[in-house]
């Protein structure tokens, strides 16, 4: 057909040409995941592996700590996100940047920093010991490490969500006699819900996959601080199949997280 | 100064480079805050609602202070009992019409809330839309819901910020009539912000004219529109015929010398005073110039020629140049309804006599 405007066919050709590197990259991502699944399936009974103490303990600890992390982050991060979205105050940009910093900070550095602050010899270590509190290398330390690295993902998303809600709607609620707190729960939060839920999902995923900071600040003690990513590393030395089982569970969790994120964002395809 | 049943506003606020100084008073009636956009009328409304804190002054409703800078009183919007309706309706997008309208009533038992909301929706003619979401409503419907939402908690004060400006004119007129009816029935103090003169005419019991953050004049509708206190108010209220002149003696009375024309007018200002004088275009009368006896001792009659005209449908605006004038353009604008325009054959005759009834000519002290 010569009726097509000039330029249309060459562009289609370009699309075809771009498919090749695209396909290569897709293969690059899919191949290791496929290999992991194949080896895990070939190795034997996955369910039996989950029964192993190492796997079971890590699974339980990861679930407990990441969910507790989520509770802490949502409880403390939501008011902060709202203040950042609505209020104007000196030093706001600095605070904004500070909160985002853990996103780009290497987790190992975060772990060292936590150790320097709350470790036995840390800046606040003496004070904590005086109060009879020992943090480093405990389950609490796992949660602290997870909160530190995962909170920015939630706070950032929630802030953007709250910003997207028209202030006029809140003001309308005030003139209707509804308190600020109730307005938040009846107007702001429902309207920001997709963004906030997206933040929850990302935050949980980040907490679940946390490795470096936990390793540094909480150590790798089975049943106490050995979460799934740490257990994968330990198992690689002794029981490859247990490591594979854990890896498959984490992979499945990641996939579910992504699905939830899509649903929460309402833009799933 | 304080009228127990009404609203008293006397505030000053500085916002960036903008200086607001609003002062007016209104009983259980409707006051229109009239002015161009950016004149401070919406800011004043927000201050009354408690969404903007003035720097000085006071606002009181029914004798009770809502805001008093000197006494440190500043009631939050929740406790002012003021219902607010804005131009972009600002309905809660995640709630149904019913839940929007009942938003303020969450403290009531469910049955009572339901009954009250249903009654309101019925009164406003939107009972059939109760389960719809705001994005399924037309502009006029949404504004009715916004009105229902504001009225549901039985406010002491209704604040409307250009509520109908975004709507088509037919819907606008219908909603205006409904608002006027509800206002009378509910016996509320209502503050209505608009830049639309016809809307102001239709709804106002009282008018406050805003210009650049100042209230230039307040009074009853007829006071403000028929007897503006300055050339600026006359201009803002679209009087369109405004001239500068000097008071002169005239057969034992007074007149204003405009150069090309001397207008007989009643004024208490002394002879020699520089004044602005105005007459609304619809108050100027058109007469056949060949008819004898049109000259009366009371009113001014002059010969004039049509230099241009605009048809608006129901009304024609005629632009006249006075016979003895040497103005470049026109001197007088006259609005003539379509029927007399046809009957008198204005289309085919350009030379006319214009009569300026003495009581329609309004004299203002010049600055």
């Amino acid at each position: 057909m010569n009726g097509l405007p000039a330029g249309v066919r060459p562009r289609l050709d370009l699309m075809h040409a771009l498919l090749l590197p695209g396909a290569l990259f897709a293969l690059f991502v899919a191949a290791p995941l496929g290999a992991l699944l194949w080896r895990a399936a070939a190795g034997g009974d996955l369910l039996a592996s989950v029964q192993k103490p190492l796997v079971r303990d890590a699974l339980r600890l990861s679930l407990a700590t990441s969910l507790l992390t989520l509770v802490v982050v949502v409880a403390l991060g939501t008011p902060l996100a709202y203040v950042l979205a609505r209020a104007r105050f000196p030093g706001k940009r600095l605070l904004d940047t500070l909160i985002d910093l853990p996103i780009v900070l290497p987790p190992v550095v975060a772990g060292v920093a936590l150790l320097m602050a709350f470790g036995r010899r840390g800046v606040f270590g003496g004070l904590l010991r005086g109060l009879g509190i020992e943090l480093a290398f405990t389950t609490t330390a796992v949660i602290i490490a997870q909160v530190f690295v995962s909170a920015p993902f939630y706070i950032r998303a929630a802030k953007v969500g709250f910003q997207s809600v028209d202030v006029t709607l809140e003001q309308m609620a005030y003139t209707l006699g509804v308190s600020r707190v109730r307005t938040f729960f009846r107007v702001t939060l429902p309207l920001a819900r997709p963004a906030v839920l997206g933040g929850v999902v990302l935050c949980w995923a980040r907490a679940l996959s946390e490795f470096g900071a936990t390793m540094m600040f909480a150590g790798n003690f089975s049943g106490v601080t050995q979460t799934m990513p740490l257990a994968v590393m330990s198992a690689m030395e002794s029981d490859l199949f247990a490591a594979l089982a854990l890896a498959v569970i984490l992979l499945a969790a990641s996939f579910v997280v992504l699905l939830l994120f899509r649903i929460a964002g309402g833009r799933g395809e | 100064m304080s009228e127990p049943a009404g609203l008293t506003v006397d505030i000053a606020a500085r916002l960036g480079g903008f200086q607001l100084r609003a002062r007016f008073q209104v009983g259980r009636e409707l006051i229109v805050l009239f002015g161009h956009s950016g004149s401070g009328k919406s800011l004043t409304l927000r201050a009354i609602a408690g969404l903007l804190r003035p720097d000085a002054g006071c606002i009181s409703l029914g004798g009770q202070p809502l805001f008093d800078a000197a006494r440190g009183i500043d009631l939050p919007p929740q406790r002012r009992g003021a219902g607010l309706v804005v131009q972009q309706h600002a309905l809660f997008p995640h709630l149904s019409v019913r839940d929007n309208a009942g938003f303020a009533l969450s403290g009531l038992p469910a049955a009572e809330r339901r009954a009250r909301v249903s009654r309101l929706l019925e009164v406003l003619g939107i009972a059939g839309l109760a389960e719809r979401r705001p994005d399924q409503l037309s502009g006029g419907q949404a504004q009715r819901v916004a009105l229902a939402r504001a009225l549901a908690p039985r406010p002491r004060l209704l604040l409307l910020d250009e509520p109908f400006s975004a709507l088509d004119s037919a819907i606008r007129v219908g909603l205006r009539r409904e608002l006027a009816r509800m206002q009378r029935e509910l016996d509320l103090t209502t503050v209505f912000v608009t830049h639309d003169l016809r809307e102001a005419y239709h709804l106002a019991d009282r008018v406050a004219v805003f210009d650049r953050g100042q209230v230039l004049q307040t009074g009853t509708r007829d006071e403000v529109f028929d007897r503006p206190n300055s050339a600026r108010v006359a201009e803002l209220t679209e009087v369109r015929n405004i001239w500068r002149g000097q008071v002169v003696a005239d057969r034992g009375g007074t007149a204003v010398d405009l150069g090309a024309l001397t207008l007989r007018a009643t004024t208490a200002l002394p002879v020699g005073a520089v004044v602005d004088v105005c007459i609304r275009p619809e108050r100027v009368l058109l007469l056949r110039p060949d008819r004898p006896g049109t000259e009366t001792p009371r009113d001014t009659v002059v010969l004039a020629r049509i230099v241009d005209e605009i048809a608006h449908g129901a009304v024609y605006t005629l632009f006249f140049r006075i016979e003895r004038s040497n103005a470049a353009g026109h001197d007088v604008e006259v609005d003539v309804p379509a029927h007399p325009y046809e009957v008198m054959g204005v289309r085919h005759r350009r030379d006319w006599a214009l009569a300026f009834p003495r009581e329609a000519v309004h004299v203002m002290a010049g600055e």
Side-chain angles (χ1 to χ4, degrees), chain B residues 259-282:
Chain B
L261 143 94
T262 300
L263 272 184
R264 294 200 184 107
T266 307
T267 175
L269 292 163
V271 169
V274 173
V275 294
D276 290 305
V277 57
C278 67
I279 182 166
R280 290 203 161 269
E282 69 272 17

Side-chain angles (χ1 to χ4, degrees), chain A:
Chain A
M1 296 290 284
N2 293 327
L4 284 174
V8 169
R9 273 196 60 124
R11 242 191 302 162
L12 271 176
D13 286 346
L14 183 65
M15 282 304 174
H16 284 122
L18 288 177
L19 266 179
L20 184 67
L24 275 176
F25 183 74
L27 208 62
F28 172 69
V29 174
L33 298 180
L36 170 64
L37 289 174
W38 187 67
R39 286 301 293 274
D45 189 356
L46 212 64
L47 272 176
S49 298
V50 176
Q51 301 300 318
K52 289 179 185 172
L54 175 115
V55 176
R56 212 180 46 212
D57 287 352
L59 193 60
R60 193 186 298 146
L61 187 69
S62 262
L63 270 181
T65 53
S66 64
L67 289 177
L68 264 169
T69 292
L70 207 53
V71 169
V72 172
V73 168
V74 169
L76 302 180
T78 308
L80 180 59
Y82 187 75
V83 167
L84 286 173
R86 284 285 184 262
R88 267 185 291 177
F89 52 89
K92 182 180 162 184
R93 287 184 64 139
L94 193 70
L95 181 63
D96 235 349
T97 312
L98 191 68
I99 287 165
D100 283 346
L101 195 59
I103 293 179
V104 290
L105 195 70
V108 175
V109 177
V112 174
L114 286 169
L115 211 49
M116 291 305 107
F118 308 117
R120 205 164 301 171
R121 297 191 176 176
V123 176
F124 307 108
L127 184 74
L128 288 170
R129 197 164 46 237
L131 296 168
I133 300 170
E134 181 99 29
L135 287 180
F137 310 112
T138 63
T139 306
T140 312
V142 175
I143 295 169
I144 291 174
Q146 288 179 358
V147 167
F148 190 87
V149 299
S150 68
F153 289 90
Y154 173 75
I155 294 169
R156 194 173 243 280
K159 185 186 84 173
V160 172
F162 296 148
Q163 275 170 340
S164 73
V165 177
D166 189 350
V167 184
T168 312
L169 295 177
E170 293 176 356
Q171 293 179 337
M172 275 297 169
Y174 301 158
T175 67
L176 291 165
V178 178
S179 73
R180 281 171 161 252
V181 173
R182 290 186 60 86
T183 297
F184 176 79
F185 285 106
R186 292 180 62 190
V187 177
T188 318
L189 192 58
L191 288 173
R193 193 169 57 195
V196 171
L197 284 184
V200 164
V201 167
L202 276 185
C203 173
W204 183 64
R206 181 65 190 88
L208 195 64
S209 64
E210 168 36 42
F211 179 87
T214 312
M215 189 75 173
M216 270 291 153
F217 185 48
N220 186 4
F221 302 111
S222 176
V224 182
T225 71
Q226 194 181 66
T227 55
M228 282 161 70
L230 279 86
V232 170
M233 195 190 69
S234 294
M236 285 301 284
E237 292 163 4
S238 54
D239 183 352
L240 175 66
F241 193 63
L244 286 178
L246 282 167
V248 168
I249 293 168
L250 279 173
L251 176 62
S254 307
F255 198 75
V256 168
V257 160
L258 211 57
L259 217 61
L260 286 176
F261 186 67
R262 284 266 168 117
I263 293 167
R267 276 188 282 270
E269 284 167 45

Side-chain angles (χ1 to χ4, degrees), chain B residues 196-251:
Chain B
D196 183 330
L197 186 71
R198 286 211 271 172
E199 197 158 74
Y201 249 118
H202 184 158
L203 291 172
D205 297 309
R206 298 181 71 80
V207 176
V209 179
F210 277 67
D211 186 39
R212 298 188 192 104
Q214 306 280 321
V215 175
L216 298 185
Q217 185 175 2
T218 60
T220 66
R221 181 189 68 182
D222 294 346
E223 267 166 25
V224 172
F225 288 143
D226 292 346
R227 296 187 289 286
N229 64 5
S230 66
R232 180 65 183 152
V233 172
E235 194 183 314
L236 289 168
T237 56
E238 295 173 36
V239 174
R240 309 217 297 272
N241 294 311
I242 308 166
W243 306 284
R244 175 57 59 98
Q246 201 166 26
V247 177
V248 292
D250 174 72
R251 296 186 217 169

